Amino acid sequence: MNLKPGRLLLLLSVCAGVWSVPIDRNGGNQEAKEEVPEESVDTGLYYDRYLREVIEVLETDPHFREKLQTANTEDIKVRICYFVLVLTADLFTSDIDVFFSRVLCQNGRLSKELDLVSHNVRTRLDELKRQEVSRLRMLLKAKLDSTNTQSLQMDHASLLKQFEHLDPHNQNTFEAKDLELLISTATKDLENYDAERHEEFKRYEMLKEHERREYLKGLDQEKREKEEKRMQELKEKHRQHPKVNAPGSVAQLREVWEETDGLDPQEFNPKTFFKLHDTNEDGVLDEQELEALFTKELEKVYNPKNEEDDMMEMEEERLRMREHVMKNVDTNKDRLVSLEEFLKSTEKREFNNPKEWETLDTVPVYSEEELQRFEAELRDKEEELKRKAETLRQEQELLKERGKALEAQRREYQQAVLEMSQRQKEPQAADGQPPAGPNGELQFQPEAQKVEDKAAKAPADHGAPVQNNLPAEPPQNLPIHT
């Protein structure tokens, strides 16, 4: 299954049903399924690995497996940790594993159940907690080092209080409180994900409008009017789309029934529709399965090939549709739609006569006041970046000056070494020794060259006879006297 960018965390908050035990429809193919390793999914939580390992260790305890076989549905109607429900929907393959994951998250019974697990399981849980505490200590140290905070002694117990998923007062053993904190923190963090998505989209839209205004400011009057006209035409073109059916209404579901399922719209049956789109056959429609139902409606408004259509807006529209259905259909607020809830929703008046669905192009995402605050925030950040850039420029100039000074020192050093080498050669020449080469080796000259050099250095004396060992030759071309 290919997930679109930015949607992985949203899909990971999917829950599994708690009202009935899923039935294995594949029967004898169970062993073949278990041989295929399931892909691990990341919730994006900073303690994801710790949470996952705790669940895996607890799953190995036979006490929990025995308990789930005798548990009834009324005993487990409690708030469920979303992370474990993700494992229920995507990773666990057997019915026992699914039911076990639900029993595990019962708040109020954790203390008693954790005391009954085997010693080996408790030992492994203790080790996991110590590893997590060690990892958090490293994160805290890195954070303090990055902020240049000088501390002779860190109070780890106090600093660990900022992490809500474990008990900071007990850093060595895993107790019931740790499991409760882990589950409640994961539940809260993942519940807040939709709100964070909406806030991110609002900032995205405000940034887009800010950039549009800044772009128009940089144009002259004629070009600005022309560009404003073009942008308005694109906006109007985007609004000229077919009518969008309200998500979860009979018109919307019939359209999926006909165009996606290829069935006769006159034979629409809600129960059959539910089973067709319960793709993992767990007896409930989770958030991912619900969002798949809205694709046809979204394609009426958004086309990635059109300049006027923004795919980020399409994902926000998908999220709004899913929340609308959950609000009106998910009566027990477990973020799942059971068959019973789905059938009851088809009996409501809104199912056959819904209000017209308002798309994002008709709903203001932000106010002008919010945009002004956002632009002020951008200006502050821009000024801060300018200050940092100026500081970096000054540091760069200082480094250049230091580089020049070091280069001058290097040249002076080379000159001093050269002069010292020349001074070492002068005493060797005065002592009559052959001069040394550039690498300290002796340099010898031929004998004839030495004689010529010696004659050239001898003083010229025209009055003194020149003595040599060469035989005298008679003068040439002189008169002979008798």
Side-chain angles (χ1 to χ4, degrees):
M1 175 180 61
N2 295 325
L3 299 182
K4 297 182 179 180
R7 302 198 56 76
L8 178 58
L9 288 180
L10 177 63
L11 300 181
L12 288 178
S13 63
V14 174
C15 303
V18 297
W19 311 121
S20 60
V21 180
I23 299 174
D24 182 13
R25 297 173 174 84
N26 295 323
N29 295 332
Q30 184 65 36
E31 295 181 0
K33 280 187 177 181
E34 293 177 348
E35 294 177 358
V36 180
E38 296 286 351
E39 181 182 358
S40 178
V41 286
D42 191 343
T43 62
L45 302 175
Y46 67 90
Y47 49 90
D48 172 83
R49 181 176 178 178
Y50 173 62
L51 177 58
R52 189 182 302 277
E53 289 177 343
V54 168
I55 299 302
E56 290 175 354
V57 169
L58 285 170
E59 184 194 8
T60 63
D61 186 77
H63 166 73
F64 281 89
R65 291 185 177 274
E66 180 180 358
K67 179 177 176 57
L68 65 89
Q69 293 176 358
T70 58
N72 56 61
T73 56
E74 294 300 322
D75 291 335
I76 59 174
K77 287 184 178 180
V78 293
R79 191 171 67 176
I80 305 299
C81 164
Y82 289 139
F83 174 81
V84 180
L85 296 177
V86 170
L87 293 180
T88 301
D90 295 334
L91 301 182
F92 293 164
T93 56
S94 68
D95 296 339
I96 290 181
D97 287 336
V98 172
F99 220 169
F100 160 75
S101 66
R102 296 164 180 168
V103 174
L104 175 62
C105 293
Q106 296 180 66
N107 290 328
R109 297 183 176 88
L110 295 176
S111 178
K112 181 174 65 176
E113 299 302 330
L114 194 61
D115 289 339
L116 298 177
V117 300
S118 65
H119 174 73
N120 181 47
V121 170
R122 290 300 294 268
T123 301
R124 291 169 63 188
L125 291 174
D126 293 345
E127 180 62 25
L128 287 177
K129 182 175 180 178
R130 287 191 290 268
Q131 291 176 1
E132 179 69 1
V133 170
S134 177
R135 184 183 72 88
L136 296 177
R137 285 176 175 174
M138 292 178 62
L139 290 176
L140 290 170
K141 185 178 185 304
K143 182 178 180 180
L144 293 176
D145 291 343
S146 65
T147 56
N148 296 322
T149 303
Q150 301 296 330
S151 178
L152 298 178
Q153 183 176 4
M154 290 190 298
D155 186 357
H156 289 101
S158 298
L159 293 173
L160 286 172
K161 290 181 180 179
Q162 60 186 291
F163 302 106
E164 301 178 351
H165 64 288
L166 50 73
D167 181 9
H169 301 293
N170 176 13
Q171 302 179 18
N172 296 312
T173 59
F174 189 95
E175 304 297 339
K177 185 176 181 180
D178 290 294
L179 186 54
E180 293 173 358
L181 289 173
L182 182 59
I183 291 173
S184 61
T185 304
T187 302
K188 180 186 68 175
D189 291 344
L190 291 171
E191 278 181 338
N192 294 334
Y193 183 73
D194 285 352
E196 293 174 1
R197 279 279 309 281
H198 289 307
E199 185 62 29
E200 288 177 4
F201 177 74
K202 180 190 291 187
R203 294 179 66 84
Y204 167 78
E205 287 290 297
M206 290 190 293
L207 178 61
K208 193 166 63 173
E209 175 62 18
H210 169 74
E211 292 177 345
R212 187 189 71 85
R213 295 183 180 185
E214 292 297 314
Y215 169 68
L216 293 175
K217 286 180 182 179
L219 302 177
D220 56 40
Q221 182 68 21
E222 182 180 355
K223 291 183 177 179
R224 181 164 56 250
E225 291 177 356
K226 184 178 180 180
E227 188 65 16
E228 286 178 341
K229 181 180 179 181
R230 187 186 72 86
M231 291 180 175
Q232 187 62 31
E233 289 175 351
L234 289 175
K235 188 178 294 185
E236 291 298 328
K237 183 180 178 182
H238 173 70
R239 290 175 177 171
Q240 302 302 320
H241 54 72
K243 177 185 175 182
V244 177
N245 295 313
S249 65
V250 63
Q252 189 256 319
L253 298 183
R254 282 181 183 273
E255 195 169 90
V256 175
W257 175 276
E258 179 180 5
E259 298 186 14
T260 303
D261 303 332
L263 300 174
D264 187 350
Q266 302 302 322
E267 298 179 359
F268 175 76
N269 183 282
K271 187 173 183 180
T272 304
F273 181 91
F274 182 94
K275 292 183 177 180
L276 282 174
H277 294 277
D278 178 16
T279 54
N280 60 1
E281 300 182 343
D282 61 353
V284 293
L285 295 180
D286 56 40
E287 295 176 349
Q288 183 179 357
E289 291 166 336
L290 281 176
E291 290 185 354
L293 300 177
F294 311 139
T295 301
K296 285 295 178 182
E297 299 302 320
L298 295 171
E299 288 176 351
K300 297 178 181 178
V301 186
Y302 300 96
N303 186 337
K305 297 180 181 180
N306 295 339
E307 180 184 0
E308 68 273 11
D309 297 338
D310 190 334
M311 295 301 103
M312 287 288 291
E313 292 182 3
M314 184 184 74
E315 294 307 317
E316 176 69 8
E317 194 77 74
R318 190 191 302 272
L319 176 58
R320 292 177 66 238
M321 289 181 170
R322 188 251 295 168
E323 289 180 330
H324 174 79
V325 173
M326 284 295 188
K327 180 180 179 180
N328 293 280
V329 181
D330 180 23
T331 55
N332 60 9
K333 306 304 177 185
D334 64 348
R335 299 174 71 95
L336 295 162
V337 176
S338 65
L339 176 59
E340 181 182 0
E341 291 172 329
F342 182 76
L343 294 179
K344 284 184 178 180
S345 70
T346 62
E347 299 172 359
K348 297 180 180 179
R349 183 179 61 83
E350 294 81 4
F351 181 73
N352 294 297
N353 299 293
K355 294 181 180 180
E356 184 177 353
W357 179 254
E358 296 182 344
T359 55
L360 279 171
D361 48 26
T362 61
V363 179
V365 179
Y366 55 86
S367 64
E368 185 64 26
E369 183 180 357
E370 288 176 319
L371 179 60
Q372 291 177 1
R373 287 198 301 267
F374 178 75
E375 290 181 325
E377 180 184 341
L378 288 180
R379 288 193 294 270
D380 292 342
K381 290 183 177 180
E382 185 177 357
E383 291 298 325
E384 182 181 357
L385 289 175
K386 287 181 179 179
R387 289 193 297 270
K388 290 182 178 179
E390 178 62 22
T391 302
L392 291 174
R393 188 192 64 79
Q394 294 176 359
E395 292 178 354
Q396 184 182 24
E397 293 295 328
L398 181 60
L399 289 175
K400 286 182 179 179
E401 294 297 326
R402 289 179 179 177
K404 292 179 180 179
L406 290 174
E407 179 64 20
Q409 291 178 3
R410 186 183 67 83
R411 289 196 297 267
E412 291 177 1
Y413 174 75
Q414 289 178 342
Q415 184 64 25
V417 171
L418 181 60
E419 292 176 358
M420 185 179 296
S421 176
Q422 291 177 350
R423 291 194 188 104
Q424 290 177 351
K425 293 178 182 179
E426 291 176 357
Q428 294 177 354
D431 295 341
Q433 296 181 0
N439 296 324
E441 71 275 9
L442 297 178
Q443 293 182 339
F444 295 93
Q445 296 179 343
E447 190 67 22
Q449 184 66 33
K450 294 171 68 177
V451 172
E452 290 176 4
D453 293 343
K454 196 171 185 181
K457 293 181 180 180
D461 188 1
H462 300 286
V466 179
Q467 297 180 355
N468 53 48
N469 296 326
L470 298 176
E473 294 183 0
Q476 303 287 332
N477 301 325
L478 293 178
I480 301 175
H481 300 278
T482 55

